């Protein structure tokens, strides 16, 4: 009886180290066991294309240690607001003034500055957004440790938007929910009012031990 | 799409943006033939670089040699500083280059402006410079790619430009 | 032209260490590598982390061959915009001000041109960590001013020790 073409037993299989001859079933079984080498570790979890909603929830996070989220063509119903993020912990939305953030911002007219908070009810991520035609928010966010119950949940982010002036404005920064908890969902919302439209995609970055 | 510069060229154009996804431009080892040049990035529409006066940008200029700079402009004919800022050539200093990660948003939209976020690290005579921030092209029509050149002179051999679709 | 990350290796420290080595993680044929750093714990509050490279002989490069600049973003006070140096013995900060309560933190380090024998190696890094004062973030750039192949990374703890894991990817 051969195993992966070897008689009697094949070498131990692991990601990046596959030896032998594999049937489709072998590949399927090894892939499920995270032992078959398939490249493409930026794994799309979910894309949501939104239309006139107050909040957007991503409640499937998998078991990744690092998540990546992109924001594309976000439009706001309310003028001059930031796009925010907050977390569900064990399915309960954290709405307390417990989030912390810090970011550098700058606009195309030459005004640069710092923004920070040690006790906010949400994390300000994408910069100020106007609500006129062509005023959109775009950017990306990395999340760390969301699914680790013993760790705080951390973010870094980077955005480019058009504010109510209208001027282009950018920011880059970091944030944290300083509570040791399992985050089970990410909520995206505007500082006030609805998200009128946009596309948000969540990815997991897969790793192997 | 990947372009590797195998002999000095005036410019590089990468096209193929044809979906509403976010795209990423990765640039490594980009060197000017002429010393001390700024990078100039433009959008392409139907494969042609656009040189209208509708480029705005805002970058925090992290730098190793002195107080950080604020770089901002409205109504320029290009995005200055992505990929290069006073970048040296290899005659001035062997091993130098400009490198960047640029995310592209809304390029495929026929009704929205084109946006980018930028992280750059580049070497110049006084140290290392890193314009970091964002920019936009204020024309509401679809862009299908980007065009890069140095402010003067050619792009030297060895530069690698790769345009990705984030999927 | 879909982008994706190609997993190369995961490295985990043996508990709290003052130096965290990732040997022979480059030279895999990529123009860019991403290192996702998971901060597990620190021996004490505070401190920061610097970075050095290993050369093609797997020898640590500790000479004054690095330029770097970083912005320390604080939730609890004015940002520190004075992190910068030329011709220094390391690149810093990779992250700043960690805590000793096992609360974690994260950093992305992008590495450019590591495999290139005739180019300097550049990095950008962005982090998020926490100390008792509050959130600390960093946005840092750096360069090793040696035109040579780089094969690995050493992270050096300043004033305390850290336990870490790192997942390394090629960008393809």
């Amino acid at each position: 009886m051969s195993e992966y073409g070897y008689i009697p037993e094949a070498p131990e299989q692991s990601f990046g180290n596959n030896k032998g001859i594999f049937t489709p079933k072998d590949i399927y079984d090894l892939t499920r066991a995270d032992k078959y080498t398939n490249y493409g570790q930026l794994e799309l979890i979910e894309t949501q294309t939104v239309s006139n909603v107050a909040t957007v929830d991503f409640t499937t996070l998998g078991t990744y240690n690092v998540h990546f989220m992109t924001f594309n063509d976000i439009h706001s119903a309310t003028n001059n607001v930031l796009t925010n993020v907050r977390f569900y912990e064990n399915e309960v939305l954290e709405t307390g003034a417990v989030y912390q953030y810090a970011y550098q911002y700058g606009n195309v007219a030459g005004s640069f500055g710092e923004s920070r908070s040690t006790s906010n009810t949400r994390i300000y991520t994408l910069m100020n957004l106007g609500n006129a035609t062509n005023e959109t928010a775009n950017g990306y966010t990395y999340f760390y440790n969301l699914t680790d119950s013993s760790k705080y949940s951390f973010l870094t982010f980077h955005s480019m938007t058009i504010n109510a002036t209208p001027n282009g404005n950018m920011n880059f920064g970091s944030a944290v929910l300083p509570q040791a908890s399992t985050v089970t969902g990410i909520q995206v919302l505007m500082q006030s009012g609805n998200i009128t439209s946009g596309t948000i995609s969540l990815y997991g970055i897969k790793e192997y031990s | 799409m990947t372009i590797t510069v195998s002999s000095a060229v005036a410019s590089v154009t990468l096209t193929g943006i044809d979906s509403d996804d976010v795209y990423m431009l990765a640039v490594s080892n980009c060197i000017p033939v002429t010393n001390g040049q700024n990078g100039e990035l433009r959008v392409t529409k139907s494969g042609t670089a656009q040189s209208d006066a509708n480029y705005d940008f805002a970058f925090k200029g992290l730098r190793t040699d002195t107080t950080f700079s604020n770089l901002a402009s409205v109504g320029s004919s290009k995005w200055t500083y992505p990929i290069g800022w006073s970048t040296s050539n290899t005659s001035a200093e062997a091993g130098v280059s400009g490198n960047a990660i640029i995310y592209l948003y809304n390029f495929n939209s026929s009704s929205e402006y084109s946006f980018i976020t930028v992280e750059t690290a580049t070497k110049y005579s006084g140290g290392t410079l890193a314009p970091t921030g964002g920019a936009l092209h204020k024309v509401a029509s679809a862009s299908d790619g980007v065009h890069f050149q140095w402010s003067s002179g050619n792009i030297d051999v060895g530069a690698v430009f790769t345009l990705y679709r984030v999927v | 032209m879909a982008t994706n990350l190609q997993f190369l290796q995961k490295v985990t420290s043996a508990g709290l260490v003052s130096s965290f080595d990732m040997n022979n993680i480059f030279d895999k044929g990529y123009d860019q590598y991403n290192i996702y750093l998971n901060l597990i714990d620190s021996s004490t509050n505070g401190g920061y982390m610097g970075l050095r490279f290993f050369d093609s002989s797997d020898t640590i490069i500790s000479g004054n061959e690095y330029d770097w600049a970083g912005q320390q973003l604080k939730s609890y006070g004015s940002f520190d915009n004075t992190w910068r140096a030329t011709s220094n013995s390391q690149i810093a900060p990779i992250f700043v001000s960690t805590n000793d309560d096992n609360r974690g933190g994260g950093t992305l380090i992008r590495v450019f041109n590591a495999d290139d024998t005739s180019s300097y190696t550049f990095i950008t890094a962005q982090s998020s960590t926490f100390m008792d004062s509050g959130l600390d973030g960093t946005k840092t750039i750096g360069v090793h001013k040696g035109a040579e192949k780089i094969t690995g990374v050493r992270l050096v703890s300043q004033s305390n020790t850290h336990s870490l894991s790192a997942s390394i990817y090629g960008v393809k």
Side-chain angles (χ1 to χ4, degrees):
Chain A
M1 185 79 162
S2 72
E3 183 183 40
Y4 309 127
Y6 287 85
I7 296 174
E9 292 175 357
E12 182 69 29
Q13 304 292 327
S14 62
F15 183 92
N17 188 25
N18 297 127
K19 294 184 174 67
I21 302 169
F22 301 96
T23 66
K25 185 180 184 306
D26 290 334
I27 293 172
Y28 176 77
D29 290 342
L30 287 171
T31 299
R32 291 193 67 190
D34 280 347
K35 292 183 178 183
Y36 194 76
T37 307
N38 283 308
Y39 282 125
Q41 274 64 60
L42 182 67
E43 299 185 342
L44 177 65
I45 297 171
E46 185 180 4
T47 291
Q48 296 200 41
T49 301
V50 300
S51 178
N52 203 29
V53 295
T55 61
V56 182
D57 287 345
F58 290 84
T59 55
T60 300
L61 301 187
T63 58
Y64 304 95
N65 187 57
V66 182
H67 292 80
F68 178 63
M69 180 175 275
T70 60
F71 300 82
N72 200 29
D73 199 22
I74 306 296
H75 288 256
S76 172
T78 304
N79 204 21
N80 200 31
V81 292
L82 290 96
T83 309
N84 303 161
V85 160
R86 52 189 185 185
F87 296 128
Y88 288 91
E89 298 170 291
N90 296 308
E91 284 90 43
V92 178
L93 184 65
E94 175 57 79
T95 59
V98 294
Y99 298 94
Q100 301 199 22
Y101 64 81
Y103 62 81
Q104 167 76 51
Y105 65 83
N107 72 30
V108 298
S111 175
F112 285 71
E114 305 170 1
S115 183
R116 69 183 70 85
S117 176
T118 57
S119 57
N120 216 42
T121 58
R122 68 264 307 266
I123 296 168
Y124 293 165
T125 52
L126 309 185
M127 268 303 283
N128 295 67
L129 173 61
N131 65 350
T133 302
N134 298 131
E135 293 172 1
T136 73
N138 309 274
Y140 67 84
T141 298
Y142 280 100
F143 301 90
Y144 299 88
N145 303 155
L146 296 187
T147 59
D148 189 333
S149 61
S150 69
K151 298 285 188 287
Y152 296 167
S153 297
F154 294 86
L155 301 77
T156 59
F157 49 90
H158 193 161
S159 80
M160 184 68 189
T161 71
I162 297 181
N163 63 19
T165 302
N167 274 332
N169 53 179
M170 67 87 184
N171 74 345
F172 55 86
S174 305
V176 66
L177 172 60
Q179 295 176 171
S181 62
T182 302
V183 169
T184 53
I186 302 168
Q187 183 174 88
V188 180
L189 68 166
M190 304 311 297
Q191 195 174 359
S192 68
N194 279 1
I195 306 171
T196 53
S197 63
T199 303
I200 306 170
S201 293
L202 178 65
Y203 304 81
I205 298 176
K206 190 168 178 63
E207 61 180 17
Y208 301 84
S209 300
Chain B
M1 180 185 195
T2 295
I3 293 178
T4 302
V5 177
S6 56
S7 61
V9 292
S11 66
V12 164
T13 300
L14 298 101
T15 57
I17 295 177
D18 59 4
S19 70
D20 294 336
D21 299 296
V22 174
Y23 285 74
M24 185 182 85
L25 174 67
V27 182
S28 59
N29 203 32
C30 189
I31 309 163
V33 171
T34 306
N35 195 36
Q37 300 304 310
N38 294 330
E40 297 183 353
L41 193 67
R42 293 177 171 87
V43 304
T44 62
K45 296 182 187 289
S46 301
T48 301
Q50 307 295 295
S51 297
D52 49 66
N54 289 297
Y55 291 86
D56 296 353
F57 60 80
F59 303 121
K60 190 69 177 179
L62 306 180
R63 52 194 303 166
T64 62
D65 57 335
T66 189
T67 307
F68 299 159
S69 306
N70 297 330
L71 309 166
S73 178
V74 174
S76 177
S77 62
K78 67 271 184 183
W79 293 319
T80 309
Y81 307 118
I83 304 168
W85 180 10
S86 297
T87 303
S88 300
N89 65 3
T90 51
S91 296
E93 186 176 354
V96 297
S97 65
N99 308 272
I101 291 294
I102 299 169
Y103 282 92
L104 294 74
Y105 309 87
N106 295 349
F107 268 52
N108 192 55
S109 173
S110 59
S111 59
E112 299 291 2
Y113 301 157
S114 300
F115 288 72
I116 60 173
T117 54
V118 173
E119 296 177 75
T120 296
T122 185
K123 189 72 181 64
Y124 91 118
S125 60
T128 303
L129 305 172
T132 304
L136 69 153
H137 181 241
K138 293 180 303 187
V139 174
S141 65
S143 304
D144 61 359
V146 290
H147 172 275
F148 175 80
Q149 64 186 55
W150 291 106
S151 46
S152 179
N154 284 345
I155 305 168
D156 208 348
V157 172
V160 181
F161 295 78
T162 305
L163 182 62
Y164 300 91
R165 181 165 55 97
V166 181
V167 290
Chain C
M1 60 165 126
T3 183
N4 223 315
L5 302 174
Q6 298 191 345
F7 176 80
L8 298 175
Q9 196 174 347
K10 182 172 181 177
V11 183
T12 303
S13 69
L16 293 165
V17 298
S18 57
S19 294
F20 177 59
D21 289 350
M22 293 174 271
N23 297 92
N24 300 309
I25 59 172
F26 302 137
D27 200 18
K28 306 291 192 292
Y30 298 92
D31 297 305
Q32 181 195 333
Y33 296 85
N34 284 3
I35 302 172
Y36 294 92
L37 196 63
N38 179 28
L39 172 67
I40 300 170
D41 202 4
S42 302
S43 56
T44 59
N45 288 335
Y48 67 93
M49 179 74 84
L51 178 150
R52 297 187 174 115
F53 290 121
F54 288 95
D55 67 15
S56 59
S57 303
D58 204 25
T59 301
I60 193 69
I61 302 171
S62 56
N64 294 331
E65 303 177 28
Y66 301 93
D67 288 357
W68 48 269
Q71 199 172 24
Q72 182 182 353
L73 314 168
K74 307 176 189 177
S75 66
Y76 52 91
S78 297
F79 296 176
D80 186 345
N81 294 316
T82 63
W83 291 88
R84 63 176 172 270
T86 54
S87 300
N88 198 254
S89 62
Q90 63 177 2
I91 294 169
I94 301 303
F95 54 75
V96 179
S97 299
T98 56
N99 73 84
D100 60 1
D101 299 323
N102 196 36
R103 295 311 182 204
T107 306
L108 164 61
I109 306 170
R110 302 188 203 269
V111 184
F112 300 87
N113 310 329
D115 294 2
D116 194 328
T117 57
S118 59
S119 294
Y120 293 171
T121 301
F122 290 77
I123 71 152
T124 65
Q126 51 188 108
S127 78
S128 183
T129 58
F130 184 86
M131 201 178 70
D132 295 345
S133 312
L135 163 80
D136 271 291
T138 60
K139 192 79 167 178
T140 298
I141 58 97
V143 62
H144 169 246
K145 296 182 295 184
E148 59 179 310
K149 179 184 292 188
I150 296 299
T151 58
V153 170
R154 168 174 288 175
L155 297 177
V156 184
S157 301
Q158 311 293 323
S159 77
N160 51 7
T161 56
H162 297 94
S163 60
L164 301 156
S165 70
S167 294
I168 301 105
Y169 300 81
V171 178
K172 193 75 175 176

